[in-house]
Amino acid sequence: MPSISSKGSAMPQSPIRKLVPFAEAAKKNGTKVYHLNIGQPDIKTPQVALDAVKNNTIEVLSYARSEGSEVYRTKLANYYATNDIHVTANNIIATTGGSEALLFTIGSITDPNDEIIIPEPFYANYNGFSTASGVKVVPVISKIEDNFALPAIEDFEKLITPKTKAILICNPGNPTGYLYSKEEIEKLKQIVLKHDLFLIADEVYREFTYDGEQHNSVMALEGLEQHAIMIDSVSKRYSMCGARIGCIVSKNEEFMNTALKFAQARLSPPTYALLASEAALDTPKSYFDEVIEEYEDRRNTLISELEKIKGVKVANPKGAFYCVAELPVKDSDDFAQWMLEKFNDQNETVMVAPASGFYSTEGEGKNQVRIAYVLNKTDLKRSVEILKIALEKYNS
């Protein structure tokens, strides 16, 4: 029998999706499952984006340009300008989701066995993207006791080798919800300049900041033009996860020319999705004001309810719509599967994402889970109530 590649065998399972079969089995048995495991917002997609697809007059669904239409990229550049990010259409390549943007980026800047330093816990698919490119993830750990703040720059310095090509951050963070301060971004700027590295920033949650805090983009830093690469997506901003439109943004011309070759190899991003994404840029500011207020209320509700459970420690996120909670269990993978397979309360249970999959350091995050507060407040309260009952029964 032909063998599978070692690279394919090394591809990690998604901690977000690997428990789906157990959730589906629970539903078939009549159990309602509250999904706290995945960042799928329940917020309505802007109507202007949906109408652009419904009411178009396209007669031939043709290829788009490999980098996305100039009209879309120009409108996107205008949107960024309102966020103090000054780029042109030529600094942007549209991709099939932020995932493809990361794959193209890693493929453009690394060779097999090169290294990328990432503060952990981090978005689990960073492991997958790196494995697919034959690249080694070098983690630098952040702690729940510090609310998952940026580790000390000295910790980064210790890990830099001749194989190091980039530092990758997610800001605001998935899975932690941590929002990097201007001072922390400035520290990262200094270290990448000192060691001549790329600084890749996954900024897909830019809009989602709370408590009056401001997002600080790597693209707004002077002197970092040849080092900064921004990853973005319409998925979370406009609740358009299914559109699968993201982008790479950089002022480094050589890097962008290289990434474009990857884009040409896959031909083009989907035309209808580009159409919807272009229209979404006309979404009024009031939409975001309401969404941010809703998410901030949900965050407050979730954190408040979790803090009432004995033995639970939770970080307080300042952005995105996730938090990491430490539970009084030894193995959150086992606990999460048990909640779906063997537990329910009034025919209801909860699905969470075990946090070990958001680490690459062996043994880290074993008693942690990521919780996405993408449900309404009533469902969030009920979910935490179920979680409390489940913990008591699991530990009895």
Side-chain angles (χ1 to χ4, degrees):
M1 178 179 171
S3 62
I4 300 299
S5 70
S6 57
K7 183 170 65 176
S9 298
M11 281 292 287
Q13 272 191 311
S14 167
I16 306 163
R17 297 174 181 266
K18 68 181 181 180
L19 296 175
V20 166
F22 301 103
E24 293 305 310
K27 292 174 187 176
K28 286 178 181 177
N29 290 330
T31 301
K32 178 177 179 178
V33 178
Y34 290 95
H35 284 273
L36 301 178
N37 63 301
I38 192 165
Q40 171 58 65
D42 65 347
I43 304 295
K44 286 186 177 180
T45 302
Q47 193 61 42
V48 66
L50 299 176
D51 287 345
V53 176
K54 290 177 183 176
N55 302 328
N56 76 85
T57 58
I58 292 174
E59 294 183 356
V60 177
L61 194 58
S62 58
Y63 289 121
R65 285 177 61 176
S66 293
E67 60 269 68
S69 74
E70 187 168 359
V71 172
Y72 174 56
R73 289 179 293 116
T74 299
K75 285 185 70 173
L76 196 52
N78 292 336
Y79 152 76
Y80 287 132
T82 66
N83 290 267
D84 198 30
I85 298 169
H86 301 287
V87 294
T88 69
N90 292 333
N91 303 134
I92 301 170
I93 295 174
T95 57
T96 308
S99 299
E100 189 177 72
L102 280 158
L103 279 168
F104 289 176
T105 295
I106 293 171
S108 297
I109 67 171
T110 64
D111 291 311
N113 300 315
D114 280 341
E115 299 171 354
I116 296 178
I117 299 174
I118 313 178
E120 65 177 353
F122 51 73
Y123 177 47
N125 282 334
Y126 295 163
N127 269 328
F129 302 146
S130 299
T131 300
S133 297
V135 172
K136 181 183 177 184
V137 168
V138 178
V140 53
I141 196 163
S142 59
K143 298 286 188 180
I144 193 169
E145 292 80 10
D146 301 324
N147 218 30
F148 297 109
L150 185 76
I153 288 299
E154 293 77 19
D155 293 343
F156 286 88
E157 292 260 22
K158 294 173 188 174
L159 300 173
I160 294 173
T161 74
K163 288 284 188 180
T164 306
K165 291 298 177 73
I167 294 172
L168 168 58
I169 62 170
C170 187
N171 184 33
N174 175 6
T176 64
Y178 186 78
L179 181 67
Y180 289 104
S181 68
K182 189 173 183 179
E183 290 73 24
E184 287 172 318
I185 298 295
E186 184 65 35
K187 287 179 181 179
L188 289 170
K189 169 187 169 180
Q190 295 306 322
I191 194 171
V192 299
L193 289 176
K194 177 180 177 181
H195 295 279
D196 199 23
L197 307 175
F198 286 102
L199 177 57
I200 309 167
D202 182 345
E203 299 186 1
V204 304
Y205 299 96
R206 177 185 304 102
E207 264 72 24
F208 305 101
T209 63
Y210 314 121
D211 305 325
E213 299 284 347
Q214 297 295 312
H215 177 261
N216 296 283
S217 174
V218 299
M219 294 301 297
L221 291 178
E222 291 186 8
L224 209 57
E225 291 81 6
Q226 299 306 306
H227 300 261
I229 302 170
M230 183 175 77
I231 307 298
D232 205 357
S233 168
V234 303
S235 291
K236 314 302 181 180
R237 181 180 306 129
Y238 302 112
S239 194
M240 288 171 59
C241 295
R244 308 311 305 134
I245 293 294
C247 67
I248 304 170
V249 184
S250 179
K251 294 181 179 179
N252 184 313
E253 188 173 343
E254 184 180 12
F255 162 72
M256 291 298 280
N257 288 338
T258 305
L260 181 57
K261 289 187 282 188
F262 282 85
Q264 290 168 341
R266 64 82 165 100
L267 303 185
S268 69
T271 300
Y272 269 138
L274 281 170
L275 194 68
S277 300
E278 180 185 325
L281 288 165
D282 295 325
T283 302
K285 184 178 180 297
S286 58
Y287 172 88
F288 295 107
D289 293 339
E290 293 169 9
V291 169
I292 299 307
E293 183 179 353
E294 176 65 22
Y295 276 127
E296 191 164 351
D297 283 348
R298 291 180 182 188
R299 180 206 59 175
N300 294 342
T301 297
L302 176 66
I303 300 300
S304 174
E305 295 299 312
L306 285 171
E307 287 177 339
K308 294 175 184 177
I309 304 177
K310 184 178 179 181
V312 170
K313 182 188 296 183
V314 60
N316 192 7
K318 295 289 186 180
F321 36 69
Y322 308 101
C323 75
V324 171
E326 198 167 275
L327 306 181
V329 298
K330 289 184 179 179
D331 189 335
S332 61
D333 285 83
D334 182 75
F335 174 64
Q337 185 173 328
W338 174 85
M339 281 201 295
L340 296 169
E341 272 195 304
K342 300 176 181 178
F343 167 82
N344 72 75
D345 180 64
Q346 300 175 47
N347 286 325
E348 295 181 331
T349 193
V350 172
M351 187 176 184
V352 294
S356 58
F358 296 94
Y359 290 83
S360 62
T361 300
E362 189 69 30
E364 288 291 339
K366 289 295 289 180
N367 63 341
Q368 297 177 353
V369 295
R370 185 193 75 169
I371 296 175
Y373 44 97
V374 292
L375 304 179
N376 64 61
K377 286 180 283 185
T378 300
D379 286 350
L380 280 175
K381 285 185 177 181
R382 174 59 180 151
S383 297
V384 178
E385 180 185 23
I386 294 169
L387 181 65
K388 180 177 184 291
I389 295 167
L391 284 168
E392 290 170 354
K393 189 169 182 180
Y394 184 78
N395 288 323
S396 62

